[in-house]
Amino acid sequence: MAFVASAVQQETGKSIAPVRTQDEAYSARETVDKLLKRELSAESAVQIALLNNRGLQARFNELALAEARRIGDSLPPNPGLSLSRMSGAFEIEIERRIVAEVIGLATLPFRSELAAARFREAQLQTVLATLGTAVETRRTYYRAVASRELVRFLQQAQEAAATTTKFAARLGETGAMNKLDQARELAFYAELSGQLASARQRALSDREALIRRLGLWGEDLALKLPNALPALPRKARSLAHVEVEAIRRRVDLQIGRMELDALRKSYGLTQATRVVSFLDAGYTEKVLKDRATGERNRERGFELDLEIPIFDFGEVKVREAEAIYMAGVNRLLERAVNARSEARDAYRVYRSSYDIANHYTREVLPLRKIITDESQLRYNGMLIDVFTLLNEARQRIVATTEAINARREFWLAATNLDAAITVGGIAPGESGGVQMTAAAAAGAGH
């Protein structure tokens, strides 16, 4: 586990703790409780998942099992002992045999090296699973916080829409607003209410997904989430050599190299034992006892069991091992090509997501605020009518919703970029944010 803990610490800055005893469980629980008392951040969510996710703990148990297998495969084969007793009318025959696998002893260094390579591969698989848990936790966290922020904003927008709807009804009663404009106000309020209901449902589902990822239950379900996503960084990351970085750091590529190394060793072992693959040697002792006289005759000797390769000199096994090895080479090359492509695509999505979110944060929203403030001043000065003021308010709601979705997509893209460089398995450009419906957007601009 020391190798896994070191690799995870290097990539994420977080610690892991396999829970095997009561003291380890108490220590991990104490850290989780301390983190849950504060408002949850992406970093604290990842740390809780690495300590509390039971699926990850099961992965640690599988690594311990792989280590036990490595030790077992590194030991010489056990000798076999047989004992037989034959009783006849005149004598009793007792035979004892000790047989050892000679090929197993001769190839023990090869097998030990192969077992060590398999165990290193299992270690990297555990690192991959741990980093994958961290990546998925970040994605789930950002989705949950974005949904929460969107619900809060839509609640405020619905309250404002309810006020304008009542105002429109009063204007309609006095004849200052016609029936068409009243219907437009009611339709916008109804659509906004529908979007709020969908956003609430999605927020609850996203929260439950985060709870599952963190492995929480009982009183821990009252975890505190922030009301809004983190602000955008001042500058986007610049990765001029993102492909090189991915090839150097991707854990799945390291696993592919280890698999290929293990296949190479297995191929060499097959070639070394292609002719003689079965050879047992043993010591035999036979005792004959005469029933009438009680006289004992003892016979000793050696025996050798050898498989005679008459029909096959190991060519079939060698060809099979060679084919498996070449398949491993091609799989590794395919992974390398995919890793380069995924890194390029993730970086492209990251930069474009940053530009879009930055555009909404630093240009669209400030301009919308200026327009709303100026419209309010002109309405107070009776320079514009109430319909123009309401229309501006609707357009600001649409712009704010789009800005929240843009920031959500940016943080997901940032997480995917880290995943493309370290673990792979990303889904660049994935969406799923609650968007304003086309009807609402169209209604905002009427």
Side-chain angles (χ1 to χ4, degrees):
M1 282 302 300
F3 173 81
V4 177
S6 175
V8 172
Q9 175 72 28
Q10 183 178 356
E11 292 292 344
T12 66
K14 304 294 183 301
S15 59
I16 59 173
V19 178
R20 293 163 298 196
T21 64
Q22 286 288 348
D23 291 339
E24 290 175 344
Y26 178 78
S27 176
R29 186 63 225 178
E30 191 176 32
T31 304
V32 170
D33 288 341
K34 190 181 300 181
L35 293 173
L36 285 176
K37 288 179 181 177
R38 301 191 294 265
E39 187 176 84
L40 207 62
S41 66
E43 300 303 318
S44 58
V46 170
Q47 183 60 83
I48 291 173
L50 295 187
L51 293 176
N52 207 46
N53 187 289
R54 291 300 172 181
L56 193 58
Q57 290 293 329
R59 190 72 196 185
F60 296 158
N61 298 141
E62 291 174 2
L63 180 62
L65 182 62
E67 184 175 18
R69 287 173 179 163
R70 177 188 65 84
I71 295 173
D73 292 341
S74 302
L75 298 175
N78 292 318
L81 175 64
S82 67
L83 178 64
S84 64
R85 182 178 184 278
M86 303 292 291
S87 179
F90 303 101
E91 62 182 11
I92 298 174
E93 178 181 321
I94 300 175
E95 184 177 356
R96 304 183 184 91
R97 299 168 61 202
I98 299 177
V99 181
E101 185 183 351
V102 177
I103 291 296
L105 287 171
T107 59
L108 182 60
F110 288 98
R111 297 182 189 279
S112 298
E113 195 175 354
L114 183 60
R118 295 291 187 195
F119 178 63
R120 286 195 293 274
E121 182 185 334
Q123 286 179 315
L124 287 175
Q125 291 281 6
T126 305
V127 173
L128 183 65
T130 306
L131 295 181
T133 299
V135 168
E136 281 302 322
T137 301
R138 286 183 192 278
R139 288 174 180 154
T140 310
Y141 171 83
Y142 288 130
R143 291 188 186 111
V145 176
S147 298
R148 180 180 170 85
E149 182 178 0
L150 190 58
V151 167
R152 291 187 74 251
F153 171 72
L154 290 178
Q155 282 176 337
Q156 297 171 0
Q158 190 198 35
E159 292 171 1
T163 303
T164 58
T165 301
K166 292 178 182 176
F167 182 62
R170 286 199 294 270
L171 290 178
E173 293 172 357
T174 60
M177 179 178 281
N178 59 42
K179 194 171 182 179
L180 175 61
D181 290 333
Q182 289 183 62
R184 283 173 175 166
E185 292 300 327
L186 290 173
F188 178 72
Y189 176 75
E191 290 169 0
L192 200 58
S193 299
Q195 290 178 35
L196 177 59
S198 300
R200 280 175 174 158
Q201 181 181 358
R202 184 183 183 87
L204 290 175
S205 297
D206 289 342
R207 183 185 175 90
E208 288 297 332
L210 180 62
I211 287 172
R212 289 195 295 273
R213 183 62 58 180
L214 301 183
L216 302 179
W217 63 287
E219 297 179 353
D220 297 338
L221 299 184
L223 75 166
K224 304 170 188 172
L225 288 177
N227 292 328
L229 287 167
L232 292 178
R234 295 181 62 84
K235 292 183 179 179
R237 297 164 59 185
S238 178
L239 296 174
H241 306 288
V242 64
E243 296 180 46
V244 177
E245 191 72 7
I247 294 297
R248 185 179 67 83
R249 292 174 55 188
R250 282 276 289 254
V251 180
D252 58 337
L253 290 181
Q254 297 179 39
I255 292 173
R257 296 187 193 103
M258 292 302 306
E259 288 176 347
L260 196 60
D261 184 53
L263 288 175
R264 181 182 58 79
K265 289 181 172 61
S266 178
Y267 179 45
L269 181 61
T270 302
Q271 282 193 321
T273 60
R274 60 180 300 178
V275 178
V276 180
S277 59
F278 179 80
L279 177 60
D280 287 347
Y283 171 76
T284 303
E285 182 186 74
K286 182 185 294 185
V287 177
L288 299 176
K289 180 180 178 182
D290 192 309
R291 285 183 176 274
T293 62
E295 182 181 359
R296 290 174 176 267
N297 293 320
R298 192 180 299 273
E299 299 175 355
R300 299 184 178 88
F302 296 90
E303 67 175 14
L304 194 67
D305 290 343
L306 171 65
E307 182 180 86
I308 302 175
I310 296 177
F311 306 106
D312 176 21
F313 285 89
E315 189 65 24
V316 174
K317 291 182 179 179
V318 170
R319 288 189 179 186
E320 183 181 6
E322 185 179 358
I324 293 174
Y325 176 73
M326 290 309 300
V329 171
N330 287 315
R331 277 197 297 270
L332 179 58
L333 293 176
E334 182 189 24
R335 286 182 188 177
V337 171
N338 293 343
R340 287 176 178 274
S341 174
E342 290 174 3
R344 288 193 305 270
D345 195 26
Y347 185 57
R348 179 189 58 77
V349 173
Y350 167 80
R351 290 305 301 258
S352 61
S353 299
Y354 179 82
D355 292 340
I356 294 171
N358 191 48
H359 175 72
Y360 274 101
T361 302
R362 293 186 169 86
E363 294 186 32
V364 176
L365 292 185
L367 288 174
R368 276 293 164 200
K369 186 175 185 307
I370 292 173
I371 293 172
T372 302
D373 293 343
E374 290 297 321
S375 298
Q376 185 66 48
L377 290 175
R378 281 165 173 71
Y379 174 73
N380 294 339
M382 301 183 68
L383 298 176
I384 61 174
D385 56 20
V386 66
F387 309 115
T388 305
L389 182 66
L390 295 177
N391 185 44
E392 294 299 336
R394 283 193 291 267
Q395 292 190 33
R396 190 178 181 188
I397 290 173
V398 175
T400 304
T401 303
E402 294 295 338
I404 293 173
N405 288 328
R407 275 191 290 122
R408 171 185 181 272
E409 294 303 314
F410 165 75
W411 286 112
L412 289 176
T415 303
N416 287 340
L417 177 59
D418 291 336
I421 296 175
T422 56
V423 298
I426 63 170
E430 66 174 5
S431 184
V434 178
Q435 307 287 338
M436 293 290 286
T437 63
H446 79 274

